[in-house]
Amino acid sequence: AEEVGGGDKEVVREYFNNSGFQRWKKIYGETDDVNRVQMDIRIGHSKTVENVMKMLTEEGSLKGLTICDAGCGTGALSIPLAKEGAVVSASDISAAMVAEAQMKAREQLVVDGNGGEVSMPNFEVSDLESLKGKYDTVVCLDVLIHYPQNKADAMIAHLASLAENRLILSFAPKTFYYSLLKRVGELFPGPSKATRAYLHAEEDVERALKKAGWKIRKRGLITTQFYFARLVEAVPA
Ligand code: SAM
């Protein structure tokens, strides 16, 4: 199996197809059977999605733009992107996540078959390293937490190679290490090595982008009590 740092890509896949799928489906969902920490993370994550939508739409309409949502989870971003008329390619390493995203998209997107402007995202089960093609914009939210910095560089370089104009990443910043310990304990509980969480220094992400020929144009920071995300939008340097 391919390695994702100290963990292993197979372990991450297995987690997000099973207990991780159940946990995150709830956190990213709408039902109220979540605890206080999970609710806090739900709110923080939805702010990240809102911020990304704002970053994207303030540069112009998304109609007809090709957007790759790498590690799409339950489709929290893919669905609003499709609503704005983007041509979305949504993929995730977890088949369970992709199935959930597809179901939600069918529920929430009214697709007009007669040349309407909203089209269903194209869903695919794929790890992001295997993604090919070119997209106007590539977005990858809250996935870097599964990559140690030495794997993150290659991951960022690969995503950048798929993007023509814009790359948006969110990650858990290292500056919030101590606050994050709590969250990590909640998200990845138990004695098992199931999945580890990796935080990233902003300078390291910036350096990886620079190495790939990209520079940061916009930054955002989303914090709630248990959720911390640094958001960066990069463009070709
Ligand atoms: N991006 C989504 C969002 O913000 O709603 C989901 C974020 S969730 C914390 C992390 C997702 O990354 C999971 O759905 C997981 O299956 C996926 N993932 C982890 N490693 C991956 C990889 N190597 N390739 C593709 N997806 C991956």
Side-chain angles (χ1 to χ4, degrees), residues 134-138 156-169 205-217 233-237:
K134 284 281 181 195
Y135 307 88
D136 177 85
T137 299
V138 174
I156 290 170
H158 181 63
L159 292 178
S161 78
L162 304 172
E164 273 160 350
N165 293 314
R166 204 158 42 183
L167 172 60
I168 294 182
L169 297 170
V205 172
E206 191 155 14
R207 197 176 332 99
L209 284 165
K210 202 171 168 193
K211 220 165 59 183
W214 289 64
K215 61 165 192 256
I216 295 177
R217 172 166 75 175
E233 183 198 65
V235 292

Side-chain angles (χ1 to χ4, degrees), residues 101-165:
Q102 201 155 16
M103 190 197 77
K104 287 192 150 190
R106 285 203 192 104
E107 270 173 19
Q108 293 172 32
L109 294 172
V110 181
V111 180
D112 173 356
N114 311 310
E117 281 159 345
V118 171
S119 52
M120 281 290 280
N122 186 36
F123 289 104
E124 189 189 356
V125 180
S126 170
D127 62 20
L128 55 87
E129 287 74 16
S130 310
L131 293 175
K132 294 194 174 60
K134 284 281 181 195
Y135 307 88
D136 177 85
T137 299
V138 174
V139 189
C140 186
L141 299 187
D142 294 3
V143 180
L144 265 168
I145 194 154
H146 305 297
Y147 288 74
Q149 191 57 44
N150 68 332
K151 302 279 171 185
D153 281 32
M155 184 265 215
I156 290 170
H158 181 63
L159 292 178
S161 78
L162 304 172
E164 273 160 350
N165 293 314

Side-chain angles (χ1 to χ4, degrees), residues 67-79 81-82 87-94 97-99 101-102 105 120-126 131 135 139:
I67 303 185
C68 166
D69 183 9
C72 66
T74 59
L77 178 71
S78 288
I79 293 169
L81 287 175
V87 177
V88 181
S89 297
S91 56
D92 199 283
I93 196 171
S94 155
M97 285 289 186
V98 172
Q102 201 155 16
M120 281 290 280
N122 186 36
F123 289 104
E124 189 189 356
V125 180
S126 170
L131 293 175
Y135 307 88
V139 189

